[in-house]
Amino acid sequence: MTTAGDIMHRGAQWIPVHETLDRAAQLMRELGVGALPISDENERLCGILTDRDIVVGCVAVGHDPAKVTAGDMAQGTPRWIEASADVGEVLREMQTHQIRRLPVIENKRLVGMISEADIARHLTGDQVASFAGRVYAESGAR
């Protein structure tokens, strides 16, 4: 059985809710990623911040990324998966909620992220095609 832990990208890092978007962008550059899970003061997931969120939701509307926090950008109910979850559960979670990145949690701690690239690298062509068809079925995919 292939699990979320088997296909995830290890070494994911939180961005605390109080950190500014300019710091988030710097951290994304340092880590070579386009998304960071947002954590509250107890390291609980409260959202995901993407590079697109910073550009479209802050810069493009004239806000200062040095003054807007990651917490200001957190929206909706955060989705995540246990590291021990079967890859089928990963696909269902991402497809059902039309999301492109999924934090992986183990013992209530962030241990990795699953992205579209991880799906493409580790699953069969049929699984990837099904995933893409469902996640991109509507323009609301994030």
Side-chain angles (χ1 to χ4, degrees):
M1 169 177 87
T2 303
T3 66
D6 295 331
I7 67 169
M8 72 182 181
H9 175 80
R10 295 190 178 278
Q13 287 189 281
W14 297 110
I15 187 79
V17 291
H18 60 81
E19 282 289 353
T20 58
L21 298 187
D22 61 342
R23 176 62 191 129
Q26 293 164 1
L27 186 56
M28 287 179 190
R29 183 189 64 225
E30 290 167 16
L31 298 173
V33 299
L36 295 169
I38 304 168
S39 73
D40 67 12
E41 56 280 345
N42 297 314
E43 289 195 351
R44 286 184 302 213
L45 181 66
C46 57
I48 293 183
L49 178 68
T50 67
D51 48 6
R52 185 177 191 282
D53 293 332
I54 295 170
V55 172
V56 175
C58 178
V59 176
V61 294
H63 296 149
D64 183 352
K67 294 181 179 169
V68 178
T69 67
D72 293 334
M73 300 299 287
Q75 299 176 14
T77 303
R79 309 307 307 179
W80 54 273
I81 195 102
E82 287 283 342
S84 60
D86 178 81
V87 73
E89 293 175 59
V90 171
L91 291 173
R92 277 189 297 283
E93 184 72 15
M94 293 176 85
Q95 291 167 349
T96 300
H97 300 285
Q98 292 187 309
I99 54 177
R100 300 176 189 179
R101 297 170 183 95
L102 188 62
V104 181
I105 307 293
E106 187 173 57
N107 298 321
K108 298 183 181 181
R109 297 282 179 217
L110 177 70
V111 294
M113 288 278 281
I114 296 174
S115 69
E116 297 164 303
D118 298 314
I119 299 289
R121 270 194 299 276
H122 296 286
L123 303 181
T124 68
D126 288 343
Q127 287 173 310
V128 172
S130 175
F131 168 79
R134 290 190 174 123
V135 169
Y136 296 104
E138 298 193 16
S139 62
R142 297 177 273 160

